Amino acid sequence: MLAGKLPKCKNFSHSFKFFFNKFEVHLFSYFNSEGRILSMSQFSSSPRSIQRRHFLKTTVGAGLLAGWMTSCQDEGNAHQTDPPSVAVSRQPMMLQEIKEAFYDDVIIDRLEVVRVEKAGGLEFVRAYSTDGAIGIIPASPELKYLMPIFQALILPFFKGRNALDIESLIDEIYRHASNYTFAGMPFWTCVAHAELAILDMLGKVAARPVADFFGSSLRKKIPVYLSTFDRVSSAEAYIDQIQQAIEGTYIRAVKLQIGGQMSNNADCLPGRTEKLIPLARKALGDDFTLYVDANGSYDADKAIEIGQLLQDHGVALFEEPCPWQDVVATKAVSDRLSMDIGGGKQNSSLHQFAHLMNEGVVNLIQPNVHHVGGFIRSLRIVRMAEQAGLSVSFPNPGIGPSNAYMLHLASICSNMGPFQEFRPDTYPEGIYFPATIVEFGKLTASLGAGWGIGYDSQIWPNMKVLS
């Protein structure tokens, strides 16, 4: 029988927190050269009473648990549950029957980066097979700064390889020629561009969506939140822009930018955050879901102070309250607040993600498909989070065609969070199809081959090869 009383439970929509007493743990962490987090714990006799709550999976069991939590009325402490023990996933992601369905190997002839003046100077990565198949993805703005890595380490490695071995190739490239010494966001962003283009090429050869290679579709309609990027406007002007952007979309969630972005507690405009949060709640209504992203603006004490304001106004998610590498500060914030804490979008190491999960640093896992090295490694993180009982949300690495990665991941992900990120499209009209359109608050995952994105054939003549 449990000692003490059941905890008083608040009616949170997506998550919960137990309160308990335990020894205080101070974690001092750092990353070694392979990206693995090392830590040591110093224990004192001071009690600490908060264990962060978890985003609940959208399952029957989770619904029953949420109902029980809502009905609890007694104050008290609950026994500490065992923390998750998550290891880096080595489980194969690509379905074996899919690989066996190909009639022959698909040999990679080359990868190249091209600039397309007829598309407003946008850049793309194209993958070619020796049989003439082509995969195309948009290049992120980051890639232009990473071209020496892409040209020297990535392009030569994939040339002549069998694209059907893409999963093992993603692991091999890390070890090849001591590439692990370059480990980090720049290296894995380059790998991601190659992998995403190759997956599009494979999908075109098989005439199947990329998602089909990795699992059964669970959903085609993906609920989204509007992602905003404004640390310039006044609070009033910011809210006006949001209301205009969601008009006619039936979007019922938005992510606001707060703080000053890695700003050591400074706000982008004096007092804007304190004004913005109550203004957003009043303007958008009590039934509208609010997320915020601090982009590492605060130290732990300031983040906790801001977090109390957020909780008072029913904000559902506090993303990156502290600098992303400061896992000790983020853990302190997570322990003190009852709201959900998100993070992971700047991380590239699977070991770092395992640490975030095992140490309870955050409870919404946010892998960026570019930063972590592509779709396959993103899916490994999804499986790790599933093992830990955590939900995932996919930061959108771009606009327009880049929405496809998030949509394909979300379509096969059993532990998807309540909303995924949507950024309004600024691509030149008619460049790609189908257009990115939010209907009734959702985006639709394309059923087309590869990523399901086609491009106007008239833009490719006279394209400039950059690699």
Side-chain angles (χ1 to χ4, degrees):
M1 181 177 293
L2 292 176
K5 299 179 180 179
L6 291 173
K8 183 175 182 179
C9 307
K10 303 178 183 179
N11 182 14
F12 295 107
S13 58
H14 303 300
S15 47
F16 64 91
K17 177 174 280 188
F18 287 136
F19 291 85
F20 66 97
N21 289 324
K22 72 171 188 176
F23 291 114
E24 186 170 4
V25 182
H26 299 285
L27 294 170
F28 300 90
S29 305
Y30 61 96
F31 301 130
N32 70 6
S33 61
E34 296 182 16
R36 186 187 299 273
I37 297 181
L38 307 178
S39 64
M40 58 183 180
S41 299
Q42 176 181 347
F43 295 89
S44 71
S45 59
S46 302
R48 185 171 61 189
S49 63
I50 300 177
Q51 176 186 356
R52 65 176 177 78
R53 55 197 177 82
H54 300 281
F55 260 79
L56 295 178
K57 297 180 187 177
T58 53
T59 62
V60 173
L64 292 173
L65 181 57
W68 173 82
M69 292 294 293
T70 302
S71 66
C72 292
Q73 297 297 324
D74 293 329
E75 294 275 359
N77 295 324
H79 283 297
Q80 177 185 355
T81 57
D82 292 333
S85 180
V86 176
V88 171
S89 176
R90 300 299 181 193
Q91 176 186 356
M93 296 293 110
M94 183 175 282
L95 302 175
Q96 184 61 33
E97 59 265 31
I98 293 293
K99 295 177 68 173
E100 293 173 353
F102 282 82
Y103 291 110
D104 207 347
D105 293 342
V106 182
I107 304 302
I108 301 166
D109 179 62
R110 68 188 188 279
L111 290 152
E112 62 185 20
V113 181
V114 300
R115 179 179 296 130
V116 182
E117 297 303 331
K118 291 184 179 180
L122 293 171
E123 296 177 2
F124 298 83
V125 177
R126 294 165 61 100
Y128 299 82
S129 77
T130 54
D131 291 332
I134 302 175
I136 303 172
I137 64 160
S140 75
E142 300 165 319
L143 189 62
K144 64 185 176 184
Y145 303 110
L146 306 176
M147 285 298 288
I149 296 175
F150 194 69
Q151 291 174 309
L153 304 183
I154 310 304
L155 301 187
F157 174 83
F158 284 103
K159 185 177 177 61
R161 302 294 189 118
N162 184 2
L164 294 177
D165 295 331
I166 185 62
E167 188 161 3
S168 61
L169 292 175
I170 295 302
D171 291 332
E172 184 183 341
I173 194 172
Y174 182 64
R175 302 186 302 272
H176 178 78
S178 298
N179 283 338
Y180 65 86
T181 61
F182 296 93
M185 193 189 303
F187 174 78
W188 285 114
T189 295
C190 292
V191 173
H193 280 79
E195 182 236 48
L196 295 168
I198 291 168
L199 287 175
D200 188 57
M201 180 182 71
L202 283 175
K204 301 290 177 53
V205 172
R208 300 184 70 163
V210 169
D212 280 4
F213 295 166
F214 300 96
S216 300
S217 176
L218 301 176
R219 62 190 69 82
K220 295 300 181 186
K221 304 287 187 180
I222 313 299
V224 295
Y225 66 83
L226 176 69
S227 186
T228 61
F229 294 85
D230 188 336
R231 286 192 170 95
V232 178
S233 303
S234 68
E236 294 83 359
Y238 192 10
I239 296 302
D240 286 344
Q241 294 167 18
I242 290 169
Q243 289 178 311
Q244 292 175 27
I246 65 175
E247 186 175 358
T249 65
Y250 294 92
I251 286 177
R252 301 302 302 161
V254 67
K255 183 169 74 177
L256 305 169
Q257 300 288 298
I258 65 171
Q261 189 174 14
M262 298 290 284
S263 58
N264 195 27
N265 295 334
D267 211 340
C268 57
L269 297 173
R272 191 183 87 146
T273 295
E274 289 80 0
K275 181 183 292 187
L276 175 65
I277 300 307
L279 184 61
R281 177 54 71 206
K282 181 178 180 181
L284 299 172
D286 291 339
D287 61 344
F288 200 96
T289 299
L290 298 180
Y291 294 166
V292 301
D293 189 354
N295 292 117
S297 292
Y298 309 119
D299 62 22
D301 290 340
K302 183 65 175 179
I304 292 167
E305 175 189 328
I306 294 295
Q308 296 290 349
L309 170 71
L310 302 177
Q311 290 179 166
D312 289 345
H313 291 86
V315 176
L317 176 68
F318 195 176
E319 190 174 303
E320 284 193 345
C322 305
W324 67 274
Q325 290 172 310
D326 192 348
V327 294
V328 175
T330 305
K331 177 70 165 72
V333 175
S334 186
D335 283 349
R336 286 289 300 276
L337 298 178
S338 59
M339 68 186 308
D340 293 305
I341 307 299
K345 63 186 182 182
Q346 313 300 341
N347 294 86
S348 58
S349 164
L350 302 190
H351 295 290
Q352 292 171 6
F353 276 97
H355 182 85
L356 293 177
M357 299 174 198
N358 288 328
E359 298 295 338
V361 178
V362 298
N363 57 318
L364 179 67
I365 306 301
Q366 299 177 294
N368 181 306
V369 69
H370 282 164
H371 297 168
V372 302
F375 192 89
I376 292 169
R377 283 169 59 89
S378 294
L379 200 53
R380 289 178 180 174
I381 294 164
V382 168
R383 299 291 183 254
M384 291 161 60
E386 187 176 31
Q387 181 184 349
L390 300 175
S391 290
V392 294
S393 180
F394 305 105
N396 200 326
I399 57 176
S402 296
N403 283 292
Y405 317 138
M406 175 272 289
L407 294 172
H408 281 240
L409 281 165
S411 71
I412 60 174
C413 173
S414 64
N415 52 330
M416 183 184 77
F419 299 99
Q420 303 301 311
E421 184 173 30
F422 166 70
R423 296 166 60 183
D425 195 354
T426 58
Y427 259 62
E429 187 175 354
I431 293 298
Y432 76 96
F433 53 89
T436 304
I437 300 174
V438 179
E439 295 180 315
F440 298 100
K442 299 179 180 180
L443 287 176
T444 302
S446 173
L447 297 175
W451 297 116
I453 302 296
Y455 295 91
D456 181 358
S457 61
Q458 299 303 310
I459 70 174
W460 304 118
N462 301 317
M463 64 185 181
K464 182 179 180 181
V465 178
L466 304 179
S467 62

